[in-house]
Amino acid sequence: MIDKHTLEEHGITQEEYQEIKNLIQREPNLTELGIFSLMWSEHCSYKSSKVHLKKFPTSGKNVIQGPGENAGVIDIGDGLAAVFKIESHNHPSFIEPYQGAATGVGGILRDIFTMGARPIATLDSLRFGPLSHPKNKSVMEGVVSGIAGYGNSIGVPTVGGETYFDPCYSLNPLVNVFCLGLAKKENIFYARAEGKGNPVLYVGSKTGRDGIHGATMASSEFGEDLEEKRPNVQVGDPFKEKLLLEACLEVMEKKLVLGIQDMGAAGLTCSTTEMAANSGTGIEIDLDLIPQREKGMTPYEIMLSESQERMLIVAKKEKIKQVQKVFERWDLDAVIIGKVTDTQNLKVFAKGQAVVDLPVSAVVHLCPAYQRETKPHSPTQTAVCSSDVPLPEEYESIFLQMVRSPGLANKKWIFRQYDHMIQTNTAVLPGADAAVIRIKDTQKALAISLDGNSLYTYVDPRTGGKIAVAEACRNLSCLGAQPLGVTNCLNFGNPEKPEIMWQFKEAVEGIAQACRAFQIPVTGGNVSFYNETEGASVDPTPVLGVVGLINNVDTLISPEFKEAGDCIVLLGETKEELGASEYLKQIHSKKCGPVPEIDLEIEKRVQKLCREAISQGILQSAHDLSEGGLAHCLAECCVLRKTPIGCQIQLDQQIRTDALLFGETCSRILVSLKNKDKDALFALAKKASVPFAIIGKTGGKNIFVRHFGETIWDIPVQKVYSLWNNSIPDTFHVK
Amino acid sequence: MRFGVVVFPGSNCDHDTLYALRDVTNQESFFLWHKEHDLKDADCIVLPGGFSYGDYLRSGAIARFSPLMQQVKEFALSGGLVLGICNGFQVLLELGLLPGAMLRNKNLKFLCQYVPIRIENTETPFTNRGKPGQVLHIPIAHFDGNYYTDPENLKKIHQNQQVVFRYANPDGSLSSAANVNGSMDSIAGLLNEQKNVMGMMPHPERASDLLLGSTDGQIIFESIIHYLKNDR
C-alpha cells in the first residue's frame, strides 16, 4: 500500500517506516502516515538536535516553565511572569516573503497567548542576501511588509531586532521572530487534555487546504521546484488572530478552560496528539464537525492543514456554554469536535468511520533521536591572520564605507514601517542596544536583546556561540537590565552533512557554556535545519534572545551621547584582534579568523560594572562595542539623535590603528558621563577590576579621532549622519 | 468627565486610550462595545486607533455599520463631543461626520514615527489649552493617512477654520518633507462644521507620558475637559 515513492514524498526513511510499523503493529494508512510525517519531521521532533540540546542549562530559581511548552516562563516578581519564545519562518519567507513573514509573526504570537500571556512586544532577526541583487531587495521588502502587516494590525509593537546581509543568505533568507508576553503568575495555561469525557473545542478560523505539509517543507532543502511549494505557505489573517487573542485571554482570565494549544505547524495533528501525550490521555475527534472553508476535504487534508488562527481547547463540560458565549461575542467559531479519553490513543472519525487510531506517545515521543555524524569544518581561510592584512593608507573613506554599509547603517527604513509604540510601553525606541518595555503600574521594565553573529560562528562556532550570549547580555547591561533568561533560534544547514552537524554541536556547546557562566537558563527555542538551497548552506546562525529586568525604570539610560562637554570612557581592554571582523569582511573581503577571544569572567565583570554605574545614576549613556568596533560605536553614539553631536577622541594605545578602530575585541562598553561623576565611575571600575581609559569628550561639529599624534580623521558629524541615515532608503530609491 | 472609548473588534489602541484618559488624566472612562446601543451618558466619545474590522476593505468602511455607530452619529449631530484618533478619524470620514477621504501614504508604506504638528486653531473644544501656532510632538502610526478632499470642499474647510492640526517642521514651518504622508494642505487634524467632532491622525494617547518621550497629547485631553467644564 505505502510504497517507496509515498515515503519519499513524506520525508520518511525506510528505517523510520519500519519503526512506525513496529510501534503500531501494522501498516499505517495514508492519513496516519501523514500524521507521522509531520510529527516525526525535523521541525516538530528535533530528531537531529535533541541529543545536543540537552546540554543547555534549563533551570534556575526564576524559571516557572522551561523548554517543552509553547513558550518559556520566568518569574519577574510582583505576581507577574515574562513569557517568551523565538521561532524561525525561513523557508516560507523565501517562497512567499509577505505571507511567510506575516504568518511567522502570527505563529509566535499564538505561542505566547496560548500560555495565558498578553503579547507585549515582538522583535525580528532578519538576514538577507546583498541588496545589490534585486531579488534580495524584493524578499526584504516583502518580509518587512509582512511583519508590519501582521504586527501592526493585531496591535503588538515590533520594537527591535537585527538585520544583517551576506551572500550566503541570498537564496535562503532567515526570518526569526521573537515574542514577549506578560502574564499573571497564577494564570498560566498549558497544553493539557485532562479528565476523561471532557469536551475538546475547536476555536478560531475555519480549516482550508493551506499549508499542508508546511512542517515537512521546512525540513528539507530547496531544489529547483521552489515555485511548486508556494501552496505550502499559509495565509495570515491578523484581524482573525486579534479576535482569537482577545477571546482566548478572556476565557483564560475567567478560568473557563483546562488546557489550550495553538494549531501552528502540523495543525490539528500536533495539537491533539501533544495535548493528550502531555497528560497521558487520549483524544477522540470527529472531522465532520470541523469548521471547513472548502468543500470535499479529505481526512488527510484536514489533519495536515496548517490554516492559521486556530486553537484547540479542553474545558469542563459545565463551562462549555460560557466558553462558547465568549467566542460568539468575538464572532468566532467554537465547536465541540470530540472528547478526552483514557485510551492514550488519537482516534479520528470521518463519516462514521475510524480513519486514524494511533498511540499518541508513538507520534509525539518515540521518533528516533539521531546522533548524527560530525566532522570538523575549518574554513580554509582561517589560516589568514591579521599580519597578512596591509595597513590602510587612510581611514576616513573606510570609516564612511562601513557607516553606510547596509548591515551597520540606520534601519529606520525598516522599523518605521512597524508600529513600535502601540500599547504605550516602549520606553526605548528601536535602534538602541536593546528594546525596553515598561510594565504599567510597577517601577519595572523588561529589556530584550536579539543577537547573533554568523561571521563568528562560521569561523569558530563554539567561540561564536559564547560571544553571541555574551553580547546579547551586554546589550541588556548597557541599559541597566539584569539578564534573566534566554531563548534561541538555531539556523543551520543540512544536519545529515557531518560538517553542518559539527557546526551545530560546537555552537550549542559554546552557547551552553556561556549561559551557565551568566546563570541564565534556556527556556526554549527553535532549531531550523536545512537552510540550504541548491547545495549551498547558510553560515551557521544561532540567534539569541535574552530577556532582562530593570527594577527601576527611572534609572534607564540610552546609547547616544547627551550633551557637549561630557567625558567619554571606554570600559574594558582593547586587544589587537582583527579576525572575523566586519572590517576584514567589508574592506579586505576576507571572512577569516581567529574570532576575538572571550573571557566570560571578565565579560561578567564589565557588564556588572555598567549596570551598577547606571543604577547609581552616574552615566549619561552606554553603548556596547560590536560589529564595526570602536569606530562604529562612536559613530552611533553621535548620530542616534534627532540632531547629531560631535566628539574628540584621543587614542594612546600601542596597537595597529585599524585594530584599535575596527577590531571587535569582546567585553567593551563605551560610556559618557558628566565630569563630576568621573571619580565615582573610576572607583567602581577599580573595585570591579575592570580596565578603563578616558578617550575623549563630546561636543563640536566633527568626529575627530587621533591615534597618538596622528589625526586619523576629522569628519563633519552631519556627513556621517546623512550617510548612515540614507544608505538603506537610497537603496530602495525612496526618501 | 465621562469618556466612552468605543471598542470595535479590531480596535487596538482602545486600552492605550483608556489608560491615558483614566490613569493619566484621571477621568471616569469606560469601554463601549460596538455591538451595544448605549453610550452610557458619556460626555465625550472617543473612537480609538486600530483596524476596526481588519480594514481589508477601506479603513473604517465596515465600522460605520456597527450598531453603536448610529448612537454615536446622533450624539454628534446633537452637538456631543466626538474625537476620532487614526482609525477613528477614518471611521468618522466613512460615517460622513467629517468631510473628505484618506489615501495611502505618499511613500506607500506604513509610517510609525514622531511628527511635529502645528496647532492651527485654538478656539475649539479640542485645542483650547494650546497656543496658536504651537508645535506638538505626537506619534503617527498609519498606512492610510494621506488626507484628500475636492478643491471646493477644501476651500470651505479653510474658510470655516476647520483645520486644527497640520504636519510641520519642528520650528512650525510647513514643507513637503514635513508633510510625511502627503496630506492635502498638510492636514493632520480636522473638525466638522459645527466644531464638535474632530479627527486626527496622530495619537495623543501615545504622547501622555514623559518616559515614552512626550506629554504633548495631554493638551488635547485637557482641552476637552476644560471645554466640558466651562464652555459647554
Side-chain angles (χ1 to χ4, degrees):
Chain A
M1 236 182 68
I2 305 252
D3 56 17
K4 199 172 150 229
H5 179 66
T6 313
L7 287 182
E8 267 170 24
E9 269 187 352
H10 284 80
I12 288 180
T13 65
Q14 287 291 345
E15 294 74 32
E16 286 170 349
Y17 187 56
Q18 271 309 325
E19 185 62 27
I20 290 170
K21 285 195 291 188
N22 289 343
L23 283 168
I24 67 171
Q25 299 284 306
R26 61 178 168 83
E27 289 218 342
N29 63 35
L30 190 64
T31 307
E32 292 174 331
L33 186 76
I35 288 174
F36 273 106
S37 84
L38 286 185
M39 296 303 291
W40 284 24
S41 69
E42 189 66 57
H43 186 81
C44 293
S45 73
Y46 294 88
K47 57 189 170 191
S48 303
S49 56
K50 257 197 267 201
V51 293
H52 300 287
L53 298 179
K54 282 184 192 141
K55 292 169 198 152
F56 288 140
T58 57
S59 56
K61 66 177 181 353
N62 298 319
V63 178
I64 297 175
Q65 175 65 50
E69 270 289 340
N70 287 299
V73 185
I74 297 267
D75 191 341
I76 57 164
D78 293 326
L80 297 171
V83 179
F84 57 95
K85 169 93 179 283
I86 188 167
E87 272 270 2
S88 64
H89 238 218
N90 306 337
H91 297 88
S93 300
F94 182 56
I95 299 172
E96 216 312 291
Y98 185 97
Q99 291 297 344
T103 54
V105 176
I108 193 72
L109 289 169
R110 279 196 303 284
D111 280 336
I112 300 306
F113 70 77
T114 305
M115 308 285 299
R118 181 172 283 277
I120 56 172
T122 63
L123 291 89
D124 310 280
S125 171
L126 309 177
R127 284 177 170 73
F128 305 106
L131 293 177
S132 47
H133 195 291
K135 173 72 184 168
N136 294 328
K137 256 161 71 173
S138 85
V139 169
M140 172 163 157
E141 197 151 27
V143 164
V144 171
S145 311
I147 291 168
Y150 209 102
N152 296 353
S153 173
I154 198 165
V156 178
T158 305
V159 294
E162 49 163 9
T163 312
Y164 187 74
F165 303 89
D166 191 273
C168 75
Y169 304 111
S170 267
L171 291 169
N172 202 125
L174 301 185
V175 176
N176 294 177
V177 191
F178 169 98
C179 183
L180 171 69
L182 189 66
K184 286 185 193 143
K185 232 169 95 180
E186 81 277 0
N187 227 15
I188 290 164
F189 284 80
Y190 300 100
R192 301 281 149 80
E194 274 157 15
K196 184 184 170 186
N198 278 331
V200 174
L201 273 164
Y202 170 112
V203 303
S205 289
K206 297 184 198 312
T207 297
R209 287 193 171 93
D210 44 344
I212 291 175
H213 279 309
T216 327
M217 169 188 76
S219 304
S220 60
E221 300 172 33
F222 288 152
E224 284 169 357
D225 57 345
L226 260 181
E227 286 300 316
E228 286 170 33
K229 306 245 182 210
R230 199 183 293 271
N232 285 4
V233 180
Q234 317 87 320
V235 176
D237 180 351
F239 174 59
K240 216 30 151 228
E241 179 132 315
K242 162 79 174 155
L243 306 182
L244 192 61
L245 178 152
E246 296 298 343
C248 287
L249 289 181
E250 194 174 327
V251 294
M252 289 191 269
E253 176 72 34
K254 292 177 174 163
K255 297 199 193 312
L256 299 176
V257 303
L258 295 171
I260 178 164
Q261 164 82 313
D262 84 296
M263 296 193 218
L268 201 52
T269 291
C270 181
S271 52
T272 49
T273 52
E274 282 193 354
M275 286 179 87
N278 288 347
S279 306
T281 57
I283 277 187
E284 214 174 271
I285 58 169
D286 184 348
L287 296 185
D288 298 346
L289 301 173
I290 304 272
Q292 290 166 47
R293 205 165 56 211
E294 298 171 63
K295 281 192 184 139
M297 288 181 70
T298 63
Y300 180 94
E301 290 171 325
I302 298 172
M303 287 306 292
L304 271 61
S305 161
E306 291 191 2
S307 290
Q308 298 287 292
E309 293 94 22
R310 304 178 299 161
M311 305 278 243
L312 204 65
I313 286 177
V314 171
K316 281 196 177 139
K317 257 187 206 143
E318 61 269 24
K319 304 275 191 197
I320 288 295
K321 281 237 158 65
Q322 280 172 273
V323 173
Q324 286 177 321
K325 216 174 144 188
V326 171
F327 281 89
E328 196 183 311
R329 186 174 127 90
W330 290 99
D331 299 317
L332 291 170
D333 283 319
V335 185
I336 298 177
I337 59 162
K339 61 181 186 218
V340 179
T341 65
D342 60 1
T343 61
Q344 299 185 2
N345 270 31
L346 169 69
K347 207 161 178 182
V348 178
F349 292 91
K351 303 202 167 64
Q353 302 283 314
V355 292
V356 172
D357 191 358
L358 293 173
V360 291
S361 64
V363 176
V364 178
H365 295 311
L366 299 180
C367 171
Y370 296 121
Q371 179 85 50
R372 295 200 189 273
E373 194 190 330
T374 62
K375 188 176 141 203
H377 168 74
S378 313
T380 47
Q381 311 96 304
T382 309
V384 181
C385 64
S386 57
S387 59
D388 301 329
V389 179
L391 265 176
E393 279 166 20
E394 57 90 29
Y395 290 94
E396 179 170 325
S397 64
I398 292 176
F399 172 58
L400 296 177
Q401 189 180 332
M402 302 266 295
V403 158
R404 67 164 177 259
S405 67
L408 296 177
N410 192 355
K411 308 296 189 306
K412 186 176 173 187
W413 183 86
I414 298 174
F415 63 72
R416 80 170 184 173
Q417 295 184 49
Y418 303 149
D419 192 338
H420 50 264
M421 301 189 220
I422 196 161
Q423 297 194 9
T424 56
N425 294 320
T426 312
V428 172
L429 298 180
D433 292 86
V436 177
I437 300 291
R438 62 107 177 247
I439 301 171
K440 286 189 179 115
D441 305 321
T442 74
Q443 272 298 97
K444 290 178 177 167
L446 289 169
I448 315 128
S449 166
L450 268 200
D451 222 309
N453 185 319
S454 54
L455 196 47
Y456 294 173
T457 29
Y458 168 73
V459 174
D460 179 348
R462 184 183 292 246
T463 313
K466 274 193 231 174
I467 295 176
V469 176
E471 197 188 320
C473 290
R474 200 185 313 135
N475 288 335
L476 296 186
S477 296
C478 285
L479 293 156
Q482 170 80 43
L484 286 184
V486 57
T487 178
N488 55 48
C489 198
L490 308 172
N491 306 276
F492 287 77
N494 180 348
E496 295 158 46
K497 295 180 182 167
E499 291 84 3
I500 301 287
M501 208 55 223
W502 178 82
Q503 291 177 333
F504 183 79
K505 178 186 117 251
E506 288 287 303
V508 165
E509 277 170 13
I511 292 168
Q513 201 181 332
C515 288
R516 275 194 296 274
F518 283 95
Q519 293 179 306
I520 47 170
V522 176
T523 61
N526 174 235
V527 178
S528 173
F529 279 131
Y530 299 99
N531 288 294
E532 334 201 320
T533 303
E534 288 165 11
S537 164
V538 299
D539 289 347
T541 313
V543 174
L544 277 293
V546 183
V547 174
L549 184 67
I550 295 171
N551 273 312
N552 181 3
V553 75
D554 294 336
T555 63
L556 186 64
I557 59 164
S558 50
E560 76 282 3
F561 292 146
K562 296 300 178 304
E563 52 191 334
D566 283 347
C567 172
I568 301 172
V569 176
L570 181 59
L571 303 177
E573 190 188 357
T574 305
K575 294 180 239 167
E576 192 168 301
E577 293 176 310
L578 278 175
S581 64
E582 275 299 304
Y583 165 72
L584 275 200
K585 179 182 152 183
Q586 292 192 27
I587 308 299
H588 298 278
S589 308
K590 287 183 198 300
K591 262 169 101 167
C592 61
V595 301
E597 283 174 14
I598 174 125
D599 180 325
L600 294 171
E601 288 312 309
I602 293 175
E603 179 72 48
K604 275 161 62 181
R605 291 209 297 269
V606 172
Q607 291 191 24
K608 186 159 175 259
L609 166 65
C610 184
R611 290 195 302 269
E612 258 176 32
I614 291 171
S615 72
Q616 293 185 16
I618 52 181
L619 297 187
Q620 291 267 63
S621 73
H623 193 18
D624 107 290
L625 275 73
S626 55
E627 288 100 329
L630 176 63
H632 194 68
C633 178
L634 275 171
E636 286 192 338
C637 290
C638 294
V639 298
L640 265 169
R641 299 161 40 99
K642 267 186 203 148
T643 47
I645 183 172
C647 63
Q648 289 109 51
I649 303 296
Q650 172 67 47
L651 302 169
D652 298 310
Q653 203 182 336
Q654 195 73 53
I655 61 174
R656 282 175 65 124
T657 305
D658 55 356
L660 193 53
L661 294 168
F662 302 111
E664 299 178 8
T665 298
C666 295
S667 317
R668 294 182 299 162
I669 296 173
L670 189 75
V671 302
S672 71
L673 64 165
K674 291 185 176 150
N675 281 304
K676 70 171 176 57
D677 291 321
K678 270 195 309 205
D679 291 343
L681 178 69
F682 299 161
L684 279 179
K686 276 176 193 140
K687 210 177 101 200
S689 312
V690 169
F692 61 88
I694 305 171
I695 62 164
K697 62 176 186 192
T698 60
K701 289 197 156 96
N702 282 16
I703 300 183
F704 177 46
V705 177
R706 284 156 59 98
H707 187 194
F708 293 114
E710 192 189 347
T711 295
I712 305 301
W713 61 66
D714 189 5
I715 310 170
V717 67
Q718 191 63 44
K719 185 173 176 186
V720 178
Y721 185 70
S722 302
L723 287 171
W724 179 75
N725 269 317
N726 296 334
S727 166
I728 293 180
D730 284 350
T731 308
F732 286 92
H733 306 294
V734 289
K735 284 285 165 192
Chain B
M1 293 300 137
R2 291 171 62 80
F3 285 83
V5 177
V6 176
V7 182
F8 298 106
S11 295
N12 59 24
C13 300
D14 45 350
H15 289 275
D16 303 353
T17 306
L18 190 78
Y19 183 81
L21 289 166
R22 188 190 59 198
D23 299 83
V24 182
T25 321
N26 295 314
Q27 300 300 303
E28 204 179 334
S29 309
F30 41 86
F31 286 135
L32 297 170
W33 183 240
H34 68 114
K35 287 183 187 172
E36 288 164 5
H37 296 86
D38 181 6
L39 299 182
K40 296 184 185 160
D41 292 325
D43 300 302
C44 175
I45 300 292
V46 183
L47 308 184
F51 287 69
S52 48
Y53 285 82
D55 290 346
Y56 294 120
L57 187 57
R58 287 188 316 279
S59 299
I62 299 178
R64 74 184 175 104
F65 294 109
S66 77
L68 191 75
M69 279 304 102
Q70 290 318 306
Q71 260 71 34
V72 171
K73 202 166 177 177
E74 283 164 28
F75 177 78
L77 293 176
S78 63
L81 288 194
V82 179
L83 169 64
I85 302 167
C86 195
N87 188 233
F89 188 0
Q90 294 161 345
V91 174
L92 290 173
L93 294 168
E94 290 287 335
L95 268 171
L97 287 175
L98 292 175
M102 288 295 177
L103 309 177
R104 279 263 128 126
N105 295 343
K106 68 178 175 187
N107 71 343
L108 305 180
K109 301 271 184 230
F110 190 97
L111 286 176
C112 175
Q113 61 189 88
Y114 271 95
V115 291
I117 54 170
R118 190 174 80 188
I119 304 181
E120 300 294 298
N121 182 353
T122 52
E123 288 170 21
T124 84
F126 307 93
T127 49
N128 54 64
R129 307 308 286 162
K131 298 181 196 81
Q134 186 179 353
V135 175
L136 308 180
H137 288 269
I138 302 186
I140 53 164
H142 59 249
F143 214 145
D144 304 312
N146 181 351
Y147 180 77
Y148 177 82
T149 191
D150 58 75
E152 207 170 305
N153 232 326
L154 189 68
K155 218 169 127 192
K156 259 169 67 184
I157 288 168
H158 282 303
Q159 273 170 359
N160 196 29
Q161 293 184 309
Q162 284 169 249
V163 177
V164 196
F165 299 116
R166 296 171 88 181
Y167 300 106
N169 293 306
D171 64 4
S173 62
L174 302 179
S175 71
S176 158
N179 185 14
V180 285
N181 55 19
S183 285
M184 197 170 254
D185 283 0
S186 301
I187 292 173
L190 185 67
L191 288 165
N192 64 346
E193 239 179 284
Q194 294 71 32
K195 303 202 169 79
N196 63 317
V197 176
M198 181 175 84
M200 63 188 294
M201 287 316 288
H203 288 265
E205 81 280 8
R206 296 188 184 187
S208 293
D209 195 330
L210 211 50
L211 176 71
L212 308 185
S214 168
T215 55
D216 289 355
Q218 282 296 308
I219 288 179
I220 290 143
F221 300 133
E222 281 162 11
S223 295
I224 296 173
I225 295 161
H226 185 263
Y227 170 84
L228 289 169
K229 277 190 184 152
N230 303 295
D231 303 328
R232 182 160 51 162

